[in-house]
Amino acid sequence: MKFRVERDVLADAAAWVARSLPARPPVPVLGGVVLEATSGPSGDRLTVSGFDYETSARVELDATIGDPGRVLVSGRLLADITKALPAKPVDVVVDGARATISCGNSRFSLPTMPVEDYPQLPAMPQVAGIVPGDVLAQAVQQVAVAAGRDDTLPMLTGIRLEIDGPRLTLAATDRFRLAVRELEWSPEDTGLTTSVLIPARTLADVAKSLAGAGPVELALSAGDGMLGITGGGRRATTRLLDAEFPRFRQLIPTEHTSSAILESAALVEAIKRVQLVTDRVAQVRMEFGDDGLRLSAGGDEVGSAEEELACELVGAPLVIAFNPGYLLDALGALHTPRARMTFTTPNRPALMRPVPPPATDAGSSDEAAGNIDQETGDETPDSGYLHLLMPVRLPG
């Protein structure tokens, strides 16, 4: 087996496939990636793939094939080596039980593993619909921040995907926060209605890597418990989680007593400053009043901090506290200059939504500016995203 490929292309493919491999594979071959070089009427192709019985990743690349063949090598070692190579074409030659990687003045020799022992990649499920890669990547990133990381609670480590005709709903929660994003897509069957639970970490990695891939196909086989994603010459599959996701819609407040609009960037920077003195309770207190917002943290033992910010408050003043890390995650997922927070009581969940920039008309800039000044906290942003935060109990 012998082929030549561009260094950046190979390094990117090896890194992407290696990310899907287990950190501690139960058997050595499951820590490997398969390099398959083929020549045919459609041209020379190099395929880099990996599969650990739970997730699979496969990338097709343009390459110059000298001798077709198939070889299995350590995935993480291949990713580390190709990343460190100089920016020159890479030559790979397999001779017996060794694979030689040459690039410029660098040369590596890797042991191969028995490729016949490697599991066959699963077939892609039937395509369910198409969604723009950048839209999917942003939506998944917005909800993944709220997914749990405790593997003993598998129902909380996933992202729930609901399909209702032309609408997708993504949701994730770790019991302390809930993130929900709705978006439009192009289904193959406009009457399709179903829901599945996808491992959040896998979906986030795949969606992020396909952000610039253009249209992305989602393939689903609920009966076989598998999701497939294809775009930009890459394809990935993952086993679905067999767990019951919480009934999240009943957690979302349908009314509120107070509403505040804040500048997202200013609030982020203020939280980062005051959290420097948070104690082991890890809370930032937010005091909303008619004269603005006052952030405070800490106490006599660890020091204290306060900062005041402008905000547009409608409704009753209140004092509420949150985990600063959760606040920063929520604000980072909004992707808008302003955020809207709504409250009922200091002990009930608060709802955060992005406030889209106001529509402007180039021919009536003065009128548009007037509309900005007249905005109130009662506006209802229609962005399809919301983030629910459980407050931290204030010391009584």
Side-chain angles (χ1 to χ4, degrees):
M1 177 179 173
K2 182 179 180 180
F3 64 85
R4 168 174 282 196
V5 64
E6 291 299 320
R7 176 261 183 190
D8 289 347
V9 173
L10 180 60
D12 187 47
W16 186 68
V17 173
R19 277 201 298 270
S20 68
L21 301 177
R24 296 179 179 85
V27 292
V29 294
L30 295 184
V33 298
V34 176
L35 303 176
E36 184 171 7
T38 58
S39 295
S42 58
D44 293 350
R45 302 293 289 171
L46 173 67
T47 301
V48 183
S49 58
F51 180 43
D52 68 351
Y53 292 107
E54 294 294 328
T55 63
S56 75
R58 182 174 182 269
V59 188
E60 286 192 1
L61 314 173
D62 290 324
T64 302
I65 308 301
D67 294 316
R70 191 165 178 258
V71 68
L72 177 67
V73 296
S74 167
R76 300 200 181 279
L77 190 53
L78 178 67
D80 290 342
I81 289 173
T82 53
K83 179 181 179 181
L85 291 175
K88 296 182 179 181
V90 179
D91 291 298
V92 177
V93 178
V94 178
D95 185 8
R98 309 294 296 184
T100 302
I101 302 174
S102 304
C103 180
N105 295 326
S106 301
R107 188 169 182 264
F108 292 85
S109 178
L110 301 182
T112 65
M113 293 182 279
V115 69
E116 61 273 9
D117 294 344
Y118 201 74
Q120 182 178 357
L121 265 67
M124 286 292 289
Q126 182 177 357
V127 174
I130 298 174
V131 61
D134 56 345
V135 174
L136 178 65
Q138 185 186 79
V140 171
Q141 178 267 331
Q142 286 181 307
V143 300
V145 296
R149 293 167 177 80
D150 185 354
D151 291 334
T152 64
L153 298 170
M155 76 291 292
L156 302 181
T157 64
I159 292 176
R160 180 178 172 88
L161 171 65
E162 296 182 349
I163 300 174
D164 186 8
R167 181 168 291 270
L168 295 180
T169 301
L170 301 172
T173 181
D174 62 1
R175 295 183 300 176
F176 304 105
R177 50 205 172 150
L178 165 70
V180 182
R181 170 69 192 271
E182 293 184 346
L183 62 149
E184 301 292 326
W185 78 321
S186 302
E188 291 289 315
D189 177 6
T190 56
L192 177 63
T193 302
T194 189
S195 60
V196 294
L197 189 59
I198 309 164
R201 190 177 308 165
T202 300
L203 182 58
D205 284 345
V206 174
K208 181 180 179 181
S209 71
L210 298 180
V216 170
E217 293 181 344
L218 298 184
L220 187 63
S221 177
D224 295 333
M226 183 175 294
L227 173 82
I229 305 178
T230 306
R234 299 181 175 188
R235 76 165 224 193
T237 65
T238 182
R239 291 286 178 189
L240 300 173
L241 293 172
D242 185 15
E244 189 70 26
F245 193 75
R247 296 182 179 180
F248 65 92
R249 285 187 173 83
Q250 65 187 24
L251 304 175
I252 302 172
T254 57
E255 57 186 20
H256 60 270
T257 57
S258 303
S259 173
I261 293 182
L262 307 109
E263 298 294 328
S264 301
L267 181 56
V268 165
E269 293 305 314
I271 293 170
K272 289 180 178 179
R273 283 189 287 268
V274 300
Q275 75 167 352
L276 295 174
V277 295
T278 53
D279 54 18
R280 54 190 174 86
V281 179
Q283 66 174 237
V284 168
R285 296 179 293 279
M286 307 179 76
E287 183 177 348
F288 292 90
D290 294 334
D291 56 348
L293 166 65
R294 185 174 68 180
L295 294 173
S296 60
D300 294 337
E301 295 183 0
V302 296
S304 61
E306 291 186 359
E307 186 157 343
E308 295 184 355
L309 294 173
C311 77
E312 303 172 25
L313 178 68
V314 175
L318 84 157
V319 180
I320 193 168
F322 297 99
N323 178 299
Y326 293 169
L327 269 176
L328 292 174
D329 285 345
L331 288 163
L334 297 183
H335 302 297
T336 53
R338 301 201 300 165
R340 182 185 191 225
M341 297 186 71
T342 55
F343 315 92
T344 51
T345 70
N347 297 320
R348 299 295 300 275
L351 194 60
M352 185 182 294
R353 293 178 184 266
V355 178
T360 59
D361 186 341
S364 57
S365 58
D366 292 340
E367 180 181 350
N371 289 337
I372 295 174
D373 292 338
Q374 294 169 13
E375 282 179 348
T376 72
D378 291 329
E379 64 179 279
T380 304
D382 185 19
S383 68
Y385 182 67
L386 62 85
H387 200 111
L388 193 70
L389 287 167
M390 287 294 297
V392 178
R393 186 174 296 276
L394 290 163

